[in-house]
């Protein structure tokens, strides 16, 4: 039952379309990369309680890179 609740929460979060500037997305990206670095260090030291954080951070970083690229492509289309 707990897994269904978590999936519903993440699904709802993914559906929310917030309009962000490329600067806001880049700031968020820098923050996630820093979190990823801390998680990797903690995992290497054996201090990380939940190693799945590394996977979720990596995927979130990829999503942010994709969002930045989408914003860049949209800006190029507007300029044409």
């Amino acid at each position: 039952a707990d897994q269904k609740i978590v999936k519903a929460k993440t699904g709802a979060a993914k559906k929310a379309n917030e309009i962000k500037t490329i600067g806001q997305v880049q700031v968020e990206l820098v923050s996630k990369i820093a979190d990823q670095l801390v998680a990797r260090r903690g995992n290497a030291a054996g201090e990380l309680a939940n190693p799945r954080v590394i996977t979720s951070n990596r995927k979130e970083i990829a999503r942010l890179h994709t969002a930045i690229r989408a914003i860049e492509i949209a800006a190029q289309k507007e300029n044409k």
Side-chain angles (χ1 to χ4, degrees):
D2 292 334
Q3 290 177 349
K4 290 180 183 177
I5 293 171
V6 171
K7 287 181 182 178
K9 287 181 183 176
T10 56
K14 289 181 185 177
K15 290 180 183 177
N17 291 328
E18 296 178 13
I19 298 174
K20 295 183 179 181
T21 64
I22 195 165
Q24 291 171 331
V25 176
Q26 286 174 338
V27 167
E28 192 174 342
L29 176 64
V30 170
S31 172
K32 284 291 181 183
I33 290 173
D35 291 346
Q36 177 75 346
L37 185 62
V38 169
R40 284 184 179 173
R41 285 184 184 157
N43 191 35
E47 300 170 352
L48 192 62
N50 186 5
R52 290 187 208 160
V53 171
I54 296 172
T55 303
S56 64
N57 280 346
R58 186 180 70 240
K59 290 180 179 183
E60 187 64 31
I61 289 169
R63 286 185 192 104
L64 291 172
H65 279 295
T66 303
I68 290 170
R69 185 64 184 139
I71 293 169
E72 289 173 351
I73 290 172
Q76 287 176 354
K77 286 184 179 180
E78 287 179 6
N79 291 335
K80 286 186 178 180

